[in-house]
Amino acid sequence: MNYRKEIYQKYVSNHTLYLSGKVDLKKIKKQFPVWGKYYGRYLPKEKNIKILEIGCGSGGFLYYLKSLGYENCVGIDISEEQIKSAKSLGVENVDIADLRSFLKDKDNSYDVIIARDVLEHFYKEEILEILKLIFQNLSKKGRLIIQSPNAEGLFGTKCRYGDFTHEIAFTSSGLASVLRVVGFKEMEFYPTEPVPKYSFKSAIRYCLWKFIELFLKAYILVETGNSKGIYTLNLICVAKK
């Protein structure tokens, strides 16, 4: 049996349950301020746009999108357990599907495609194929939103090896180069730093993080002469046609 298939069959009960506990709507709603900071400004204002989330997991982000008024959203995931979890929370328009097979049946169908914690589960050849399919399935002014483990950060290996099915981590420059290959023209990269308005605790974390980030930038500046970089465990990329 393919190792991915074997692991994804019990992905919730053997992995995510131990990583973050049982998912419920209360936990999902606590993430709204974080997701608003990370992704809110990159979502189009038009509420009738078509959005696809590949690797939607338990459907928390789709629930968030619906709370914002985006009704035309669909999600797919290869894990039957994940999709069952999403449906148990009342998340609609989710289905079990292999993302490559799903995207091959579509053409220029979506205004936004979201790939949060997805690309790192594939080999390089597969990533190139997937990005080509995503590009093909985006509308003329469509955009792709990615979150992936950041190999540039001090503890990048924590996310890279935090899941047995992870095959790769990215730097902003490495991800940008492959996005250009498939045809994307504009790319912006952002850190997944603590969100200060989330709570008093998060405000303290944000201040401490800024101090740590300053130290890391100073370190890189001394070694390379350039302090530019993203140093959080994950990075976010917004790519446009």
Side-chain angles (χ1 to χ4, degrees):
M1 179 183 286
N2 179 284
Y3 80 92
R4 289 176 180 167
K5 185 176 181 180
E6 185 170 357
I7 291 173
Y8 292 149
Q9 281 181 347
K10 298 292 184 180
Y11 198 67
V12 174
S13 54
N14 289 335
H15 180 65
T16 61
L17 185 63
Y18 292 92
L19 190 66
S20 55
K22 186 177 180 180
V23 177
D24 56 38
L25 293 181
K26 184 178 179 180
K27 283 186 177 180
I28 290 172
K29 290 176 181 178
K30 284 187 68 175
Q31 293 299 309
F32 282 10
V34 177
W35 292 338
K37 173 67 174 179
Y38 289 173
Y39 311 107
R41 53 185 162 170
Y42 311 117
L43 296 171
K45 294 181 180 179
E46 299 82 4
K47 300 298 183 179
N48 62 341
I49 61 169
K50 295 181 68 177
I51 300 177
L52 168 67
E53 183 178 14
I54 56 177
C56 66
S58 294
F61 197 75
L62 290 170
Y63 185 87
Y64 165 69
L65 291 173
K66 187 174 181 179
S67 75
L68 296 178
Y70 296 100
E71 295 290 343
N72 200 5
C73 303
V74 296
I76 58 169
D77 200 286
I78 195 66
S79 169
E80 184 177 355
E81 278 196 338
Q82 295 272 52
I83 295 300
K84 284 184 178 179
S85 177
K87 290 182 178 180
S88 72
L89 296 172
V91 180
E92 301 174 346
N93 298 324
V94 293
D95 203 358
I96 304 166
D98 174 84
L99 66 90
R100 284 173 290 178
S101 299
F102 183 87
L103 290 171
K104 284 177 182 177
D105 295 332
K106 307 291 188 301
D107 189 21
N108 296 322
S109 298
Y110 301 101
D111 301 294
V112 178
I113 295 180
I114 299 165
R116 298 172 55 251
D117 308 321
V118 173
L119 295 181
E120 62 270 18
H121 292 266
F122 295 91
Y123 297 114
K124 291 182 179 180
E125 294 84 357
E126 295 173 316
I127 292 170
L128 187 61
E129 177 191 1
I130 290 166
L131 289 176
K132 286 179 179 178
L133 287 169
I134 287 173
F135 187 85
Q136 173 185 318
N137 279 274
L138 282 172
S139 60
K140 187 175 181 180
K141 295 184 179 181
R143 64 189 65 178
L144 167 63
I145 299 175
I146 297 169
Q147 177 178 296
S148 278
N150 176 28
E152 196 170 4
L154 184 62
F155 297 102
T157 53
K158 177 178 174 64
C159 287
R160 164 64 178 86
Y161 294 103
D163 187 322
F164 188 77
T165 62
H166 285 181
E167 305 293 349
I168 194 171
F170 296 94
T171 64
S172 53
S173 59
L175 182 54
S177 65
V178 71
L179 287 168
R180 292 190 195 99
V181 167
V182 303
F184 285 99
K185 302 299 183 183
E186 298 180 38
M187 286 147 280
E188 298 178 28
F189 292 87
Y190 305 93
T192 55
E193 60 191 14
V195 177
K197 294 183 179 180
Y198 180 70
S199 65
F200 178 75
K201 182 180 178 181
S202 67
I204 297 298
R205 288 175 54 224
Y206 175 79
C207 293
L208 292 173
W209 165 250
K210 283 301 180 182
F211 176 78
I212 294 170
E213 184 182 46
L214 185 63
F215 171 80
L216 294 173
K217 287 185 175 182
Y219 174 88
I220 296 296
L221 179 63
V222 170
E223 181 176 351
T224 68
N226 190 325
S227 64
K228 291 182 179 180
I230 293 175
Y231 303 105
T232 51
L233 290 178
N234 292 287
L235 60 78
I236 293 171
C237 173
V238 181
K240 303 176 184 178
K241 278 191 168 184

PDB file of all heavy atoms in Angstrom, residues 73-87:
ATOM      1  N   CYS A  73     -18.189  28.599  -2.061  1.00  0.00           N
ATOM      2  CA  CYS A  73     -16.912  27.985  -1.698  1.00  0.00           C
ATOM      3  C   CYS A  73     -17.050  26.467  -1.692  1.00  0.00           C
ATOM      4  O   CYS A  73     -18.070  25.930  -1.247  1.00  0.00           O
ATOM      5  CB  CYS A  73     -16.459  28.433  -0.312  1.00  0.00           C
ATOM      6  SG  CYS A  73     -16.288  30.195  -0.105  1.00  0.00           S
ATOM      7  N   VAL A  74     -16.024  25.797  -2.148  1.00  0.00           N
ATOM      8  CA  VAL A  74     -15.983  24.337  -2.092  1.00  0.00           C
ATOM      9  C   VAL A  74     -14.628  23.914  -1.538  1.00  0.00           C
ATOM     10  O   VAL A  74     -13.629  24.636  -1.649  1.00  0.00           O
ATOM     11  CB  VAL A  74     -16.213  23.684  -3.471  1.00  0.00           C
ATOM     12  CG1 VAL A  74     -17.604  23.987  -3.980  1.00  0.00           C
ATOM     13  CG2 VAL A  74     -15.160  24.147  -4.470  1.00  0.00           C
ATOM     14  N   GLY A  75     -14.597  22.728  -0.950  1.00  0.00           N
ATOM     15  CA  GLY A  75     -13.354  22.204  -0.410  1.00  0.00           C
ATOM     16  C   GLY A  75     -13.202  20.736  -0.728  1.00  0.00           C
ATOM     17  O   GLY A  75     -14.193  19.991  -0.796  1.00  0.00           O
ATOM     18  N   ILE A  76     -11.958  20.305  -0.934  1.00  0.00           N
ATOM     19  CA  ILE A  76     -11.682  18.892  -1.168  1.00  0.00           C
ATOM     20  C   ILE A  76     -10.525  18.461  -0.279  1.00  0.00           C
ATOM     21  O   ILE A  76      -9.673  19.270   0.093  1.00  0.00           O
ATOM     22  CB  ILE A  76     -11.326  18.596  -2.647  1.00  0.00           C
ATOM     23  CG1 ILE A  76     -10.100  19.414  -3.093  1.00  0.00           C
ATOM     24  CG2 ILE A  76     -12.521  18.860  -3.550  1.00  0.00           C
ATOM     25  CD1 ILE A  76      -9.542  18.990  -4.442  1.00  0.00           C
ATOM     26  N   ASP A  77     -10.513  17.173   0.058  1.00  0.00           N
ATOM     27  CA  ASP A  77      -9.420  16.607   0.840  1.00  0.00           C
ATOM     28  C   ASP A  77      -9.347  15.122   0.538  1.00  0.00           C
ATOM     29  O   ASP A  77     -10.374  14.480   0.292  1.00  0.00           O
ATOM     30  CB  ASP A  77      -9.643  16.839   2.335  1.00  0.00           C
ATOM     31  CG  ASP A  77      -8.354  16.716   3.135  1.00  0.00           C
ATOM     32  OD1 ASP A  77      -7.881  15.566   3.334  1.00  0.00           O
ATOM     33  OD2 ASP A  77      -7.815  17.742   3.558  1.00  0.00           O
ATOM     34  N   ILE A  78      -8.142  14.580   0.566  1.00  0.00           N
ATOM     35  CA  ILE A  78      -7.945  13.169   0.258  1.00  0.00           C
ATOM     36  C   ILE A  78      -8.323  12.275   1.429  1.00  0.00           C
ATOM     37  O   ILE A  78      -8.551  11.080   1.268  1.00  0.00           O
ATOM     38  CB  ILE A  78      -6.478  12.911  -0.164  1.00  0.00           C
ATOM     39  CG1 ILE A  78      -6.313  11.552  -0.844  1.00  0.00           C
ATOM     40  CG2 ILE A  78      -5.551  13.036   1.036  1.00  0.00           C
ATOM     41  CD1 ILE A  78      -7.008  11.413  -2.158  1.00  0.00           C
ATOM     42  N   SER A  79      -8.411  12.866   2.629  1.00  0.00           N
ATOM     43  CA  SER A  79      -8.671  12.091   3.843  1.00  0.00           C
ATOM     44  C   SER A  79     -10.172  11.992   4.121  1.00  0.00           C
ATOM     45  O   SER A  79     -10.834  13.001   4.365  1.00  0.00           O
ATOM     46  CB  SER A  79      -7.960  12.723   5.044  1.00  0.00           C
ATOM     47  OG  SER A  79      -8.394  12.135   6.247  1.00  0.00           O
ATOM     48  N   GLU A  80     -10.674  10.774   4.132  1.00  0.00           N
ATOM     49  CA  GLU A  80     -12.089  10.564   4.441  1.00  0.00           C
ATOM     50  C   GLU A  80     -12.411  11.020   5.860  1.00  0.00           C
ATOM     51  O   GLU A  80     -13.475  11.595   6.111  1.00  0.00           O
ATOM     52  CB  GLU A  80     -12.443   9.089   4.279  1.00  0.00           C
ATOM     53  CG  GLU A  80     -13.913   8.776   4.495  1.00  0.00           C
ATOM     54  CD  GLU A  80     -14.247   7.311   4.266  1.00  0.00           C
ATOM     55  OE1 GLU A  80     -13.344   6.566   3.853  1.00  0.00           O
ATOM     56  OE2 GLU A  80     -15.406   6.924   4.514  1.00  0.00           O
ATOM     57  N   GLU A  81     -11.486  10.786   6.803  1.00  0.00           N
ATOM     58  CA  GLU A  81     -11.699  11.223   8.183  1.00  0.00           C
ATOM     59  C   GLU A  81     -11.841  12.733   8.277  1.00  0.00           C
ATOM     60  O   GLU A  81     -12.669  13.250   9.036  1.00  0.00           O
ATOM     61  CB  GLU A  81     -10.539  10.758   9.065  1.00  0.00           C
ATOM     62  CG  GLU A  81     -10.649   9.334   9.546  1.00  0.00           C
ATOM     63  CD  GLU A  81      -9.698   9.039  10.703  1.00  0.00           C
ATOM     64  OE1 GLU A  81      -8.692   9.765  10.852  1.00  0.00           O
ATOM     65  OE2 GLU A  81      -9.975   8.100  11.449  1.00  0.00           O
ATOM     66  N   GLN A  82     -11.030  13.469   7.528  1.00  0.00           N
ATOM     67  CA  GLN A  82     -11.102  14.923   7.549  1.00  0.00           C
ATOM     68  C   GLN A  82     -12.445  15.415   7.029  1.00  0.00           C
ATOM     69  O   GLN A  82     -13.060  16.318   7.602  1.00  0.00           O
ATOM     70  CB  GLN A  82      -9.968  15.515   6.696  1.00  0.00           C
ATOM     71  CG  GLN A  82      -8.567  15.238   7.219  1.00  0.00           C
ATOM     72  CD  GLN A  82      -8.102  16.292   8.208  1.00  0.00           C
ATOM     73  OE1 GLN A  82      -8.791  16.597   9.177  1.00  0.00           O
ATOM     74  NE2 GLN A  82      -6.928  16.833   7.973  1.00  0.00           N
ATOM     75  N   ILE A  83     -12.897  14.826   5.924  1.00  0.00           N
ATOM     76  CA  ILE A  83     -14.165  15.250   5.337  1.00  0.00           C
ATOM     77  C   ILE A  83     -15.330  14.907   6.260  1.00  0.00           C
ATOM     78  O   ILE A  83     -16.270  15.702   6.426  1.00  0.00           O
ATOM     79  CB  ILE A  83     -14.371  14.609   3.945  1.00  0.00           C
ATOM     80  CG1 ILE A  83     -13.308  15.138   2.968  1.00  0.00           C
ATOM     81  CG2 ILE A  83     -15.768  14.898   3.411  1.00  0.00           C
ATOM     82  CD1 ILE A  83     -13.319  16.638   2.758  1.00  0.00           C
ATOM     83  N   LYS A  84     -15.278  13.757   6.904  1.00  0.00           N
ATOM     84  CA  LYS A  84     -16.317  13.403   7.875  1.00  0.00           C
ATOM     85  C   LYS A  84     -16.339  14.402   9.023  1.00  0.00           C
ATOM     86  O   LYS A  84     -17.409  14.794   9.510  1.00  0.00           O
ATOM     87  CB  LYS A  84     -16.073  11.988   8.410  1.00  0.00           C
ATOM     88  CG  LYS A  84     -16.466  10.876   7.447  1.00  0.00           C
ATOM     89  CD  LYS A  84     -16.277   9.517   8.098  1.00  0.00           C
ATOM     90  CE  LYS A  84     -16.716   8.394   7.175  1.00  0.00           C
ATOM     91  NZ  LYS A  84     -16.507   7.046   7.790  1.00  0.00           N
ATOM     92  N   SER A  85     -15.150  14.807   9.469  1.00  0.00           N
ATOM     93  CA  SER A  85     -15.056  15.793  10.540  1.00  0.00           C
ATOM     94  C   SER A  85     -15.675  17.119  10.110  1.00  0.00           C
ATOM     95  O   SER A  85     -16.415  17.742  10.871  1.00  0.00           O
ATOM     96  CB  SER A  85     -13.589  16.000  10.930  1.00  0.00           C
ATOM     97  OG  SER A  85     -13.461  16.995  11.914  1.00  0.00           O
ATOM     98  N   ALA A  86     -15.393  17.549   8.879  1.00  0.00           N
ATOM     99  CA  ALA A  86     -15.953  18.802   8.368  1.00  0.00           C
ATOM    100  C   ALA A  86     -17.477  18.748   8.320  1.00  0.00           C
ATOM    101  O   ALA A  86     -18.166  19.675   8.757  1.00  0.00           O
ATOM    102  CB  ALA A  86     -15.387  19.099   6.978  1.00  0.00           C
ATOM    103  N   LYS A  87     -18.004  17.661   7.810  1.00  0.00           N
ATOM    104  CA  LYS A  87     -19.460  17.535   7.694  1.00  0.00           C
ATOM    105  C   LYS A  87     -20.125  17.466   9.059  1.00  0.00           C
ATOM    106  O   LYS A  87     -21.244  17.966   9.240  1.00  0.00           O
ATOM    107  CB  LYS A  87     -19.800  16.310   6.855  1.00  0.00           C
ATOM    108  CG  LYS A  87     -19.453  16.479   5.374  1.00  0.00           C
ATOM    109  CD  LYS A  87     -19.855  15.256   4.558  1.00  0.00           C
ATOM    110  CE  LYS A  87     -19.548  15.488   3.080  1.00  0.00           C
ATOM    111  NZ  LYS A  87     -19.928  14.309   2.255  1.00  0.00           N
TER     112      LYS A  87
END
